[in-house]
Amino acid sequence: MKSSLLSLARLITGFTGLRAAGVLVIFLIVQLNLSAQTTVYIDPTNTASNQNGTISNPYSSWNQVTFINGNTYLQKRGTVFNTTGGITITGRNNITIGAYDNGSRPTIVSSGSGYILDLTTVSNFIIKDLEIYSTGNATSSILIDGYGTAISANNLIDNCDLHDCEWGIRIISQAPGNRILNCVIHNTGDDGIYAKDITDIEIGYCNIYNVNLKYFINPNQSYSAGDNIQLVSLYDLYFNIHHNTLDHSSTGNKFCFIVAGETYTGLIEHNTMIGNSSAVTSCLYFGHTSGTVIVRYNTLQDGNYGIYSYVTDLQLYYNKIARNNQGVTVMTNHNLTAKNNVFYNNVNASISSISNTS
């Protein structure tokens, strides 16, 4: 193909000059780029011979796939891929993993341990439209991992149903640009989402519930310490948490959302967070930070605490804070600006301010 296009370029140059040749060179570059982008299909129900990953004869297993930068890999909707381990991808970029055809999300099920979708040193990945869960003791439905010069940045997890693992999603990388959108995460032994050392993250339009199920095995918090979302980073983290439902009412201990660091900043808006005050579960916990956190347009209800804050500058606007034991508690030497919120039926206090607060 390449040689025939070059011959055509020479022919056109002879007739119409450099302008036509330039146009054809652009056409050639586009064609070569398109030809380098391949879609590979997986249908676990396919029993045909000579499977080649095309839509007419897809692979029947993810184990047949070779992951190449820039490619798209799609499993047929309504099918189930069973594995005793996981799918491991290392050192790849610009890959999409998703679904094709019509019907319900394609499912990847692991009966083993470890990570089901294990991504190390990957960037610009899109993982979408999948259901991933464990019938064994898998650590996490999805892991994104990478450090040093091999960080995992600018990845998107979109419209996935992740459940029945120790964690739903783990992101462990000193990296920017990772996003989790439109996902359902549930029935986890520990956290729904756990992210460590990230520099920024967006989590939006997710429904996360039935987390920290280890509480029913041992209610001691040293054993059952799961949150809907936990972020831990010392790298000037910025977070954007919006339009989520974080329901921690079915178990005990910990928080719907917790963040720890020293210099983080962030925005939390348009979320519903449901705690469990009778089992010492709260809505929001902010660890020490010298930064500013804005909390606005949320409903924070039924927790031991609506908000427990070590934020230097906490801005609280237009929230509904209801039926918690304590609505907002501001810790020593930290500050709160609260305007246009509604507090009702908080048992002990709407706002509790410890010494040397403003």
PDB file of all heavy atoms in Angstrom, residues 316-339:
ATOM      1  N   LEU A 316     -17.794  26.080  52.922  1.00  0.00           N
ATOM      2  CA  LEU A 316     -18.965  25.210  52.995  1.00  0.00           C
ATOM      3  C   LEU A 316     -20.202  25.991  52.550  1.00  0.00           C
ATOM      4  O   LEU A 316     -20.676  26.876  53.264  1.00  0.00           O
ATOM      5  CB  LEU A 316     -19.126  24.727  54.444  1.00  0.00           C
ATOM      6  CG  LEU A 316     -20.121  23.624  54.742  1.00  0.00           C
ATOM      7  CD1 LEU A 316     -19.664  22.311  54.124  1.00  0.00           C
ATOM      8  CD2 LEU A 316     -20.278  23.451  56.263  1.00  0.00           C
ATOM      9  N   TYR A 317     -20.752  25.662  51.380  1.00  0.00           N
ATOM     10  CA  TYR A 317     -21.849  26.427  50.800  1.00  0.00           C
ATOM     11  C   TYR A 317     -22.977  25.512  50.314  1.00  0.00           C
ATOM     12  O   TYR A 317     -22.732  24.480  49.677  1.00  0.00           O
ATOM     13  CB  TYR A 317     -21.383  27.253  49.602  1.00  0.00           C
ATOM     14  CG  TYR A 317     -20.184  28.139  49.836  1.00  0.00           C
ATOM     15  CD1 TYR A 317     -19.127  28.162  48.930  1.00  0.00           C
ATOM     16  CD2 TYR A 317     -20.099  28.946  50.972  1.00  0.00           C
ATOM     17  CE1 TYR A 317     -18.025  28.976  49.124  1.00  0.00           C
ATOM     18  CE2 TYR A 317     -19.004  29.761  51.184  1.00  0.00           C
ATOM     19  CZ  TYR A 317     -17.966  29.769  50.256  1.00  0.00           C
ATOM     20  OH  TYR A 317     -16.868  30.574  50.472  1.00  0.00           O
ATOM     21  N   TYR A 318     -24.223  25.908  50.593  1.00  0.00           N
ATOM     22  CA  TYR A 318     -25.409  25.318  49.971  1.00  0.00           C
ATOM     23  C   TYR A 318     -25.508  23.802  50.155  1.00  0.00           C
ATOM     24  O   TYR A 318     -25.953  23.075  49.260  1.00  0.00           O
ATOM     25  CB  TYR A 318     -25.462  25.661  48.476  1.00  0.00           C
ATOM     26  CG  TYR A 318     -25.560  27.141  48.201  1.00  0.00           C
ATOM     27  CD1 TYR A 318     -24.442  27.867  47.792  1.00  0.00           C
ATOM     28  CD2 TYR A 318     -26.764  27.828  48.384  1.00  0.00           C
ATOM     29  CE1 TYR A 318     -24.508  29.231  47.554  1.00  0.00           C
ATOM     30  CE2 TYR A 318     -26.844  29.192  48.148  1.00  0.00           C
ATOM     31  CZ  TYR A 318     -25.719  29.880  47.734  1.00  0.00           C
ATOM     32  OH  TYR A 318     -25.798  31.232  47.503  1.00  0.00           O
ATOM     33  N   ASN A 319     -25.109  23.317  51.313  1.00  0.00           N
ATOM     34  CA  ASN A 319     -25.221  21.887  51.615  1.00  0.00           C
ATOM     35  C   ASN A 319     -26.412  21.620  52.531  1.00  0.00           C
ATOM     36  O   ASN A 319     -26.863  22.487  53.269  1.00  0.00           O
ATOM     37  CB  ASN A 319     -23.944  21.402  52.312  1.00  0.00           C
ATOM     38  CG  ASN A 319     -22.711  21.600  51.464  1.00  0.00           C
ATOM     39  OD1 ASN A 319     -22.447  20.844  50.542  1.00  0.00           O
ATOM     40  ND2 ASN A 319     -21.954  22.659  51.765  1.00  0.00           N
ATOM     41  N   LYS A 320     -26.894  20.384  52.479  1.00  0.00           N
ATOM     42  CA  LYS A 320     -27.898  19.898  53.421  1.00  0.00           C
ATOM     43  C   LYS A 320     -27.205  18.895  54.335  1.00  0.00           C
ATOM     44  O   LYS A 320     -26.699  17.861  53.874  1.00  0.00           O
ATOM     45  CB  LYS A 320     -29.063  19.248  52.697  1.00  0.00           C
ATOM     46  CG  LYS A 320     -30.169  18.762  53.634  1.00  0.00           C
ATOM     47  CD  LYS A 320     -31.385  18.278  52.869  1.00  0.00           C
ATOM     48  CE  LYS A 320     -31.122  16.953  52.176  1.00  0.00           C
ATOM     49  NZ  LYS A 320     -32.350  16.427  51.530  1.00  0.00           N
ATOM     50  N   ILE A 321     -27.154  19.199  55.630  1.00  0.00           N
ATOM     51  CA  ILE A 321     -26.413  18.390  56.598  1.00  0.00           C
ATOM     52  C   ILE A 321     -27.412  17.955  57.658  1.00  0.00           C
ATOM     53  O   ILE A 321     -27.863  18.764  58.481  1.00  0.00           O
ATOM     54  CB  ILE A 321     -25.237  19.192  57.186  1.00  0.00           C
ATOM     55  CG1 ILE A 321     -24.299  19.629  56.049  1.00  0.00           C
ATOM     56  CG2 ILE A 321     -24.483  18.372  58.220  1.00  0.00           C
ATOM     57  CD1 ILE A 321     -23.193  20.558  56.470  1.00  0.00           C
ATOM     58  N   ALA A 322     -27.772  16.661  57.639  1.00  0.00           N
ATOM     59  CA  ALA A 322     -28.943  16.230  58.394  1.00  0.00           C
ATOM     60  C   ALA A 322     -28.718  14.908  59.120  1.00  0.00           C
ATOM     61  O   ALA A 322     -28.051  14.005  58.606  1.00  0.00           O
ATOM     62  CB  ALA A 322     -30.133  16.077  57.443  1.00  0.00           C
ATOM     63  N   ARG A 323     -29.282  14.822  60.324  1.00  0.00           N
ATOM     64  CA  ARG A 323     -29.410  13.578  61.089  1.00  0.00           C
ATOM     65  C   ARG A 323     -28.057  12.939  61.419  1.00  0.00           C
ATOM     66  O   ARG A 323     -27.963  11.720  61.589  1.00  0.00           O
ATOM     67  CB  ARG A 323     -30.305  12.568  60.365  1.00  0.00           C
ATOM     68  CG  ARG A 323     -31.729  13.069  60.098  1.00  0.00           C
ATOM     69  CD  ARG A 323     -32.648  11.947  59.667  1.00  0.00           C
ATOM     70  NE  ARG A 323     -32.181  11.271  58.481  1.00  0.00           N
ATOM     71  CZ  ARG A 323     -32.529  11.607  57.241  1.00  0.00           C
ATOM     72  NH1 ARG A 323     -33.351  12.638  57.032  1.00  0.00           N
ATOM     73  NH2 ARG A 323     -32.081  10.923  56.216  1.00  0.00           N
ATOM     74  N   ASN A 324     -27.016  13.739  61.519  1.00  0.00           N
ATOM     75  CA  ASN A 324     -25.732  13.239  61.987  1.00  0.00           C
ATOM     76  C   ASN A 324     -25.628  13.454  63.501  1.00  0.00           C
ATOM     77  O   ASN A 324     -26.314  14.309  64.067  1.00  0.00           O
ATOM     78  CB  ASN A 324     -24.589  13.995  61.296  1.00  0.00           C
ATOM     79  CG  ASN A 324     -24.688  13.930  59.783  1.00  0.00           C
ATOM     80  OD1 ASN A 324     -24.348  12.930  59.176  1.00  0.00           O
ATOM     81  ND2 ASN A 324     -25.178  15.008  59.165  1.00  0.00           N
ATOM     82  N   ASN A 325     -24.763  12.704  64.166  1.00  0.00           N
ATOM     83  CA  ASN A 325     -24.510  13.005  65.579  1.00  0.00           C
ATOM     84  C   ASN A 325     -23.886  14.388  65.723  1.00  0.00           C
ATOM     85  O   ASN A 325     -24.283  15.174  66.582  1.00  0.00           O
ATOM     86  CB  ASN A 325     -23.603  11.941  66.195  1.00  0.00           C
ATOM     87  CG  ASN A 325     -24.346  10.652  66.488  1.00  0.00           C
ATOM     88  OD1 ASN A 325     -25.570  10.639  66.597  1.00  0.00           O
ATOM     89  ND2 ASN A 325     -23.618   9.554  66.600  1.00  0.00           N
ATOM     90  N   GLN A 326     -22.892  14.688  64.882  1.00  0.00           N
ATOM     91  CA  GLN A 326     -22.295  16.026  64.790  1.00  0.00           C
ATOM     92  C   GLN A 326     -22.369  16.464  63.331  1.00  0.00           C
ATOM     93  O   GLN A 326     -21.936  15.717  62.436  1.00  0.00           O
ATOM     94  CB  GLN A 326     -20.823  16.002  65.214  1.00  0.00           C
ATOM     95  CG  GLN A 326     -20.577  15.551  66.645  1.00  0.00           C
ATOM     96  CD  GLN A 326     -20.612  16.715  67.628  1.00  0.00           C
ATOM     97  OE1 GLN A 326     -20.863  17.846  67.252  1.00  0.00           O
ATOM     98  NE2 GLN A 326     -20.339  16.430  68.896  1.00  0.00           N
ATOM     99  N   GLY A 327     -22.904  17.655  63.092  1.00  0.00           N
ATOM    100  CA  GLY A 327     -22.974  18.131  61.715  1.00  0.00           C
ATOM    101  C   GLY A 327     -21.598  18.390  61.143  1.00  0.00           C
ATOM    102  O   GLY A 327     -21.159  17.733  60.201  1.00  0.00           O
ATOM    103  N   VAL A 328     -20.886  19.372  61.705  1.00  0.00           N
ATOM    104  CA  VAL A 328     -19.536  19.728  61.278  1.00  0.00           C
ATOM    105  C   VAL A 328     -18.676  19.911  62.516  1.00  0.00           C
ATOM    106  O   VAL A 328     -19.075  20.629  63.441  1.00  0.00           O
ATOM    107  CB  VAL A 328     -19.510  21.030  60.445  1.00  0.00           C
ATOM    108  CG1 VAL A 328     -18.089  21.374  60.026  1.00  0.00           C
ATOM    109  CG2 VAL A 328     -20.409  20.905  59.211  1.00  0.00           C
ATOM    110  N   THR A 329     -17.515  19.287  62.533  1.00  0.00           N
ATOM    111  CA  THR A 329     -16.555  19.493  63.620  1.00  0.00           C
ATOM    112  C   THR A 329     -15.263  20.049  63.034  1.00  0.00           C
ATOM    113  O   THR A 329     -14.659  19.434  62.152  1.00  0.00           O
ATOM    114  CB  THR A 329     -16.265  18.181  64.371  1.00  0.00           C
ATOM    115  OG1 THR A 329     -17.473  17.741  64.989  1.00  0.00           O
ATOM    116  CG2 THR A 329     -15.196  18.392  65.428  1.00  0.00           C
ATOM    117  N   VAL A 330     -14.873  21.237  63.504  1.00  0.00           N
ATOM    118  CA  VAL A 330     -13.661  21.914  63.039  1.00  0.00           C
ATOM    119  C   VAL A 330     -12.594  21.741  64.113  1.00  0.00           C
ATOM    120  O   VAL A 330     -12.770  22.168  65.258  1.00  0.00           O
ATOM    121  CB  VAL A 330     -13.928  23.410  62.781  1.00  0.00           C
ATOM    122  CG1 VAL A 330     -12.670  24.075  62.228  1.00  0.00           C
ATOM    123  CG2 VAL A 330     -15.103  23.592  61.827  1.00  0.00           C
ATOM    124  N   MET A 331     -11.474  21.139  63.741  1.00  0.00           N
ATOM    125  CA  MET A 331     -10.456  20.781  64.720  1.00  0.00           C
ATOM    126  C   MET A 331      -9.533  21.956  65.045  1.00  0.00           C
ATOM    127  O   MET A 331      -9.477  22.953  64.322  1.00  0.00           O
ATOM    128  CB  MET A 331      -9.653  19.584  64.221  1.00  0.00           C
ATOM    129  CG  MET A 331     -10.513  18.344  63.975  1.00  0.00           C
ATOM    130  SD  MET A 331     -11.531  17.866  65.404  1.00  0.00           S
ATOM    131  CE  MET A 331     -10.244  17.384  66.554  1.00  0.00           C
ATOM    132  N   THR A 332      -8.795  21.829  66.124  1.00  0.00           N
ATOM    133  CA  THR A 332      -7.954  22.896  66.664  1.00  0.00           C
ATOM    134  C   THR A 332      -7.055  23.511  65.596  1.00  0.00           C
ATOM    135  O   THR A 332      -6.412  22.798  64.819  1.00  0.00           O
ATOM    136  CB  THR A 332      -7.093  22.341  67.814  1.00  0.00           C
ATOM    137  OG1 THR A 332      -7.964  21.851  68.830  1.00  0.00           O
ATOM    138  CG2 THR A 332      -6.184  23.407  68.394  1.00  0.00           C
ATOM    139  N   ASN A 333      -7.043  24.863  65.588  1.00  0.00           N
ATOM    140  CA  ASN A 333      -6.176  25.649  64.693  1.00  0.00           C
ATOM    141  C   ASN A 333      -6.576  25.556  63.226  1.00  0.00           C
ATOM    142  O   ASN A 333      -5.773  25.864  62.339  1.00  0.00           O
ATOM    143  CB  ASN A 333      -4.701  25.252  64.851  1.00  0.00           C
ATOM    144  CG  ASN A 333      -4.187  25.496  66.243  1.00  0.00           C
ATOM    145  OD1 ASN A 333      -4.533  26.490  66.875  1.00  0.00           O
ATOM    146  ND2 ASN A 333      -3.362  24.581  66.739  1.00  0.00           N
ATOM    147  N   HIS A 334      -7.817  25.164  62.959  1.00  0.00           N
ATOM    148  CA  HIS A 334      -8.303  25.122  61.579  1.00  0.00           C
ATOM    149  C   HIS A 334      -9.560  25.973  61.464  1.00  0.00           C
ATOM    150  O   HIS A 334     -10.114  26.430  62.463  1.00  0.00           O
ATOM    151  CB  HIS A 334      -8.519  23.676  61.148  1.00  0.00           C
ATOM    152  CG  HIS A 334      -7.240  22.897  61.093  1.00  0.00           C
ATOM    153  ND1 HIS A 334      -6.686  22.336  62.214  1.00  0.00           N
ATOM    154  CD2 HIS A 334      -6.387  22.643  60.075  1.00  0.00           C
ATOM    155  CE1 HIS A 334      -5.543  21.744  61.885  1.00  0.00           C
ATOM    156  NE2 HIS A 334      -5.339  21.918  60.588  1.00  0.00           N
ATOM    157  N   ASN A 335     -10.028  26.188  60.215  1.00  0.00           N
ATOM    158  CA  ASN A 335     -10.991  27.256  59.978  1.00  0.00           C
ATOM    159  C   ASN A 335     -12.135  26.808  59.080  1.00  0.00           C
ATOM    160  O   ASN A 335     -11.984  25.910  58.251  1.00  0.00           O
ATOM    161  CB  ASN A 335     -10.279  28.449  59.327  1.00  0.00           C
ATOM    162  CG  ASN A 335      -9.037  28.851  60.097  1.00  0.00           C
ATOM    163  OD1 ASN A 335      -9.112  29.206  61.266  1.00  0.00           O
ATOM    164  ND2 ASN A 335      -7.876  28.756  59.443  1.00  0.00           N
ATOM    165  N   LEU A 336     -13.253  27.503  59.229  1.00  0.00           N
ATOM    166  CA  LEU A 336     -14.449  27.210  58.454  1.00  0.00           C
ATOM    167  C   LEU A 336     -15.141  28.500  58.053  1.00  0.00           C
ATOM    168  O   LEU A 336     -15.331  29.396  58.880  1.00  0.00           O
ATOM    169  CB  LEU A 336     -15.416  26.355  59.291  1.00  0.00           C
ATOM    170  CG  LEU A 336     -16.840  26.191  58.733  1.00  0.00           C
ATOM    171  CD1 LEU A 336     -16.817  25.365  57.459  1.00  0.00           C
ATOM    172  CD2 LEU A 336     -17.749  25.559  59.789  1.00  0.00           C
ATOM    173  N   THR A 337     -15.538  28.576  56.790  1.00  0.00           N
ATOM    174  CA  THR A 337     -16.478  29.599  56.337  1.00  0.00           C
ATOM    175  C   THR A 337     -17.709  28.868  55.824  1.00  0.00           C
ATOM    176  O   THR A 337     -17.625  28.098  54.862  1.00  0.00           O
ATOM    177  CB  THR A 337     -15.880  30.453  55.208  1.00  0.00           C
ATOM    178  OG1 THR A 337     -14.706  31.105  55.686  1.00  0.00           O
ATOM    179  CG2 THR A 337     -16.881  31.494  54.737  1.00  0.00           C
ATOM    180  N   ALA A 338     -18.865  29.074  56.466  1.00  0.00           N
ATOM    181  CA  ALA A 338     -20.098  28.367  56.120  1.00  0.00           C
ATOM    182  C   ALA A 338     -21.183  29.375  55.774  1.00  0.00           C
ATOM    183  O   ALA A 338     -21.477  30.274  56.573  1.00  0.00           O
ATOM    184  CB  ALA A 338     -20.543  27.478  57.280  1.00  0.00           C
ATOM    185  N   LYS A 339     -21.776  29.234  54.591  1.00  0.00           N
ATOM    186  CA  LYS A 339     -22.828  30.141  54.143  1.00  0.00           C
ATOM    187  C   LYS A 339     -23.912  29.357  53.412  1.00  0.00           C
ATOM    188  O   LYS A 339     -23.626  28.481  52.595  1.00  0.00           O
ATOM    189  CB  LYS A 339     -22.266  31.209  53.197  1.00  0.00           C
ATOM    190  CG  LYS A 339     -21.221  32.121  53.822  1.00  0.00           C
ATOM    191  CD  LYS A 339     -20.714  33.141  52.803  1.00  0.00           C
ATOM    192  CE  LYS A 339     -19.648  34.048  53.399  1.00  0.00           C
ATOM    193  NZ  LYS A 339     -19.149  35.036  52.402  1.00  0.00           N
TER     194      LYS A 339
END
